[in-house]
Amino acid sequence: MQLLDGKEVSAAYKEQIKLEVDKRKAEGKTTPHLAAILIGDNPASKAYVGNKVKTCAQLGFESTLVEYDTNVSEEDLLKKIAELNKQEDVNGILVQLPLPKHIDENKVIEAIHPLKDVDGFHPSNLGKMMIGQETFIPATPYGIILMLQHYGIETSGMHCVVIGRSNIVGTPMSVLLSRNSNPGNCTVTLTHSRTKNLKELCATADIIIAAIGKPKFVTEDMVKDGAIIVDVGINRIPDATRKSGSRLVGDVDFENVKEKCDYITPVPGGVGLMTICALMKNTLRAADLV
Ligand code: NDP
């Protein structure tokens, strides 16, 4: 089994990005600038946004963090997005999801200018991705593609089972892996909570992408020998041996599945790190579009 090591791969991509940023600066071009909007005090959201801002600093990007209380109005949030859309020195805008219930997520996503939508969630960008036009690809699926590319994994002709059909992970992942490219050219089965024979389907998969949000959901009996396992899930479970009283696990039962597969991503240290890296690549691209 080979570990698909997000730490190693993201470090390699980040080095490339940093070199490009240094080159831009030396040529007198603009510095890529990401604006992140964080609402409320959800510890996971805070940690994700904190990591994104920290990575901006590491790579020589500018970043702006806009923080709101949970009770911020939808109107104020939309106003801020409109302001950032106009601000010429801001290249990328992200609003950390999930949003409080009183705010319409679709309205917020659609308010971001498509050319600044570095998360790739705007319908216009998702539509372009569907038909294979160059655009911002949602960061998590893009990060997974970058990881498969890094390891030179040839996916053509493989059967891929994607578990989970969210707009930000499962659905775009299924599109990317089924299109005529490398990585890609897979026969994809997109599954969800109503799928009847999930275990049997998974057992026939050359690649499993697990994006469900259920700890250790994919067990060894669902995995065929030699499969490629990509674990997107981030779940916190109780662990009395840890000082914090908890630890992070993925959607895959890593310890048992690793014995059967050829490649597997760990959690933490896998897809999460690649997601940030992909976001940075999108932001760098956004800086080139102005
Ligand atoms: P959502 O919660 O939006 O969707 C979960 C999906 O899983 C749904 O499509 C749901 O089906 C499906 N599902 C739930 N139960 C089952 C089941 N028993 N069998 C089959 N399918 C099932 O998920 P996200 O895509 O937003 O996130 C998934 C996980 O990935 C989470 O743990 C999240 O924290 C993590 N994540 C990690 C990222 C990273 O960077 N590593 C980035 C984004 C997310 P249905 O549609 O029928 O309800």
Side-chain angles (χ1 to χ4, degrees):
M1 179 277 294
Q2 178 171 0
L3 204 63
L4 298 173
D5 185 347
K7 243 190 202 165
E8 186 190 306
V9 184
S10 66
Y13 279 110
K14 284 200 281 194
E15 201 179 305
Q16 274 176 23
I17 298 170
K18 172 117 185 45
L19 286 175
E20 283 185 52
V21 175
D22 291 346
K23 189 164 161 262
R24 286 182 71 86
K25 289 182 182 172
E27 289 169 351
K29 291 187 181 164
T30 58
T31 302
H33 182 171
L34 176 70
I37 302 181
L38 173 66
I39 298 159
D41 50 11
N42 175 320
S45 293
K46 273 189 149 175
Y48 296 148
V49 171
N51 280 336
K52 289 167 189 175
V53 168
K54 204 170 79 188
T55 308
C56 280
Q58 281 171 1
L59 301 184
F61 287 22
E62 296 276 352
S63 69
T64 299
L65 174 59
V66 182
E67 288 186 86
Y68 287 114
D69 285 343
T70 316
N71 55 12
V72 63
S73 69
E74 186 180 280
E75 194 189 348
D76 283 351
L77 179 60
L78 293 174
K79 239 189 244 166
K80 185 71 201 176
I81 293 172
E83 236 174 69
L84 293 168
N85 280 339
K86 283 200 194 118
Q87 207 175 311
E88 274 182 21
D89 67 314
V90 169
N91 306 114
I93 303 169
L94 77 83
V95 180
Q96 186 65 41
L97 304 179
L99 298 175
K101 287 206 166 52
H102 65 279
I103 298 178
D104 182 340
E105 191 175 292
N106 288 332
K107 254 194 200 168
V108 170
I109 289 172
E110 286 176 39
I112 297 171
H113 193 291
L115 294 178
K116 296 193 179 191
D117 168 42
V118 286
D119 258 338
F121 298 162
H122 192 286
S124 144
N125 287 325
L126 283 172
K128 284 186 176 176
M129 184 203 69
M130 279 292 297
I131 56 174
Q133 287 184 7
E134 196 156 333
T135 186
F136 297 117
I137 294 171
T140 300
Y142 184 24
I144 293 169
I145 294 289
L146 291 174
M147 180 172 258
L148 296 172
Q149 255 167 8
H150 178 91
Y151 284 97
I153 294 172
E154 178 57 64
T155 60
S156 181
M158 286 187 172
H159 177 215
C160 174
V161 171
V162 178
I163 320 176
R165 57 178 161 186
S166 72
N167 289 342
I168 62 170
V169 187
T171 296
M173 195 71 246
S174 69
V175 172
L176 293 170
L177 282 176
S178 58
R179 71 185 183 182
N180 185 0
S181 62
N182 188 38
N185 281 321
C186 291
T187 304
V188 178
T189 306
L190 179 58
T191 68
H192 44 76
S193 65
R194 311 290 170 87
T195 300
K196 278 191 177 146
N197 49 343
L198 186 63
K199 268 193 186 214
E200 291 76 11
L201 284 169
C202 285
T204 67
D206 303 302
I207 308 179
I208 295 177
I209 313 276
I212 318 148
K214 294 206 156 103
K216 302 185 184 184
F217 180 89
V218 176
T219 46
E220 67 186 299
D221 55 322
M222 295 166 76
V223 173
K224 84 171 181 189
D225 285 331
I228 299 165
I229 309 294
V230 176
D231 190 352
V232 181
I234 303 177
N235 310 290
R236 190 162 283 284
I237 60 164
D239 182 347
T241 68
R242 300 284 174 99
K243 220 166 114 189
S244 63
S246 66
R247 74 188 153 99
L248 292 180
V249 294
D251 288 344
V252 176
D253 180 5
F254 181 87
E255 282 310 315
N256 294 310
V257 167
K258 79 176 190 322
E259 306 299 337
K260 277 186 98 174
C261 59
D262 273 2
Y263 296 96
I264 188 166
T265 61
V267 176
V271 173
L273 295 172
M274 294 309 300
T275 296
I276 297 190
C277 203
L279 174 73
M280 297 298 140
K281 274 183 84 73
N282 278 346
T283 307
L284 180 61
R285 180 169 175 270
D288 269 333
L289 297 176
V290 285

